[in-house]
């Protein structure tokens, strides 16, 4: 029987599995591994505790400044949506985020198409030049930007803030869409032209359906950049009724001696929801797009 089994294993070409023996750790290696685990655990706690406080305090009727097991209630969310001021903060944030993203995509699509389809002198220099806008820290130019907005009469207006936010996000959108449009074969557009379509009709019927993933990724990056911006609305807006939710969270924490921790945490949860929902819808598009090839040719 033994000879049969050994012969069959040889004929089938199977190699018997050998057990991997673990080498015993030296004392120094054991100490290093233990310190590594402790460090990772501390870093995980450092990252998770703020989220735990926000989630638990948002549903705690007696929320405080420390992490504690909550007395479950939805009073903080009811207070957020029934308060006289907080819903307006959310509306302002949505108006700014959606409008700036739409304007950014419109400008980015037109500019990205021009950069992808036309060859002109200084094109490469221009593309690297607009990327420099993202390299310069926003605080370095915020005072000059404020003075410009005052002089053209757009300070303390949502319209002025939307223009500035769309312009801030435009370099990344241009690079992303230029690379995406460049990947669409020009022969498809030429076929549409032969069929009697104008250039705009060919863009609408051929290019736009093919660059949908790039548009989705650009929309998500732009919206998240606008939604999380704190400095620009703080400087350009002076009227509290125009403030977005990011400024409202800061004021709720800093201006009053008696902080409503539960309302503050509920506001933070509401503040998280729009970008999280957008991320769920367009996350797959991020995997299909790349900045590579933006300046190809």
């Amino acid at each position: 029987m033994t000879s049969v089994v050994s012969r069959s294993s040889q004929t089938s070409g199977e190699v018997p599995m050998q057990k991997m023996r673990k080498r015993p750790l030296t004392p120094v290696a054991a100490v290093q591994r233990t310190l590594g685990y402790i460090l990772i655990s501390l870093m995980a706690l450092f990252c998770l505790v703020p989220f735990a406080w926000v989630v638990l305090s948002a549903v705690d009727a007696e929320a405080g400044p420390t992490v504690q097991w909550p007395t479950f209630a939805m009073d903080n969310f009811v207070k957020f949506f029934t308060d006289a001021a907080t819903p307006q903060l959310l509306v302002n944030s949505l108006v700014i985020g959606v409008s700036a993203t739409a304007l950014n995509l419109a400008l980015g699509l037109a500019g990205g198409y021009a950069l992808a389809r036309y060859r002109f002198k200084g094109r490469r220099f221009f593309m690297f030049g607009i990327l420099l806008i993202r390299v310069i820290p926003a605080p370095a130019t915020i005072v000059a930007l404020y003075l410009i907005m005052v002089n053209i009469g757009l300070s303390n207006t949502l319209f002025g803030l939307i223009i500035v936010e769309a312009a801030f996000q435009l370099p990344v959108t241009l690079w992303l869409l230029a690379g995406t449009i460049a990947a669409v074969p020009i022969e498809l557009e030429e076929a549409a032209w032969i069929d009697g379509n104008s250039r705009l009709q060919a863009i609408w019927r051929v290019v736009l359906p093919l660059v949908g993933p790039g548009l989705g990724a650009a929309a998500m990056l732009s919206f998240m950049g606008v939604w999380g911006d704190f400095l620009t609305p703080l400087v350009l807006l002076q009227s509290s009724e125009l403030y977005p939710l990011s400024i409202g969270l800061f004021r709720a924490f800093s201006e009053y001696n008696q902080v409503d921790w539960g309302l503050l945490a509920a506001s933070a949860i509401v503040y998280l929801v729009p970008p999280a929902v957008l991320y769920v819808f367009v996350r797959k598009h991020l995997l299909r797009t790349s900045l590579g090839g933006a300046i190809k040719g």
Side-chain angles (χ1 to χ4, degrees), residues 26-106:
T26 63
V28 175
V31 171
Q32 288 178 340
R33 179 170 295 187
T34 303
L35 290 176
Y37 285 139
I38 293 174
L39 182 60
I40 292 173
S41 301
L42 290 176
M43 292 177 65
L45 283 175
F46 186 77
C47 296
L48 292 177
V49 166
F51 289 102
W53 179 84
V54 169
V55 173
L56 295 177
S57 299
V59 294
D60 190 356
E62 300 174 356
T66 58
V67 179
Q68 60 186 13
W69 191 250
T71 305
F72 287 100
M74 301 303 288
D75 296 350
N76 295 322
F77 290 98
V78 174
K79 195 184 300 180
F80 176 89
F81 287 105
T82 56
D83 189 88
T86 48
Q88 187 61 42
L89 297 173
L90 179 61
V91 171
N92 290 339
S93 290
L94 290 173
V95 169
I96 296 169
V98 173
S99 302
T101 300
L103 180 59
N104 173 270
L105 289 181

Side-chain angles (χ1 to χ4, degrees), residues 200-279:
L200 286 178
Q201 288 173 331
I203 293 174
W204 178 259
R205 293 173 179 172
V206 176
V207 178
L208 273 182
L210 295 176
V211 300
L215 277 175
M220 194 191 79
L221 294 175
S222 177
F223 182 82
M224 288 187 173
V226 176
W227 189 264
D229 188 15
F230 174 78
L231 178 64
T232 309
L234 180 67
V235 174
L236 296 186
L237 299 177
Q238 291 82 46
S239 302
S240 59
E241 62 269 18
L242 298 178
Y243 282 158
L245 193 50
S246 58
I247 306 296
L249 283 171
F250 173 72
R251 285 165 57 89
F253 176 72
S254 61
E255 285 195 352
Y256 303 103
N257 295 326
Q258 186 68 32
V259 178
D260 190 338
W261 299 105
L263 179 60
L264 186 62
S267 303
I269 292 293
V270 174
Y271 185 58
L272 289 171
V273 169
V277 171
L278 183 62
Y279 171 77

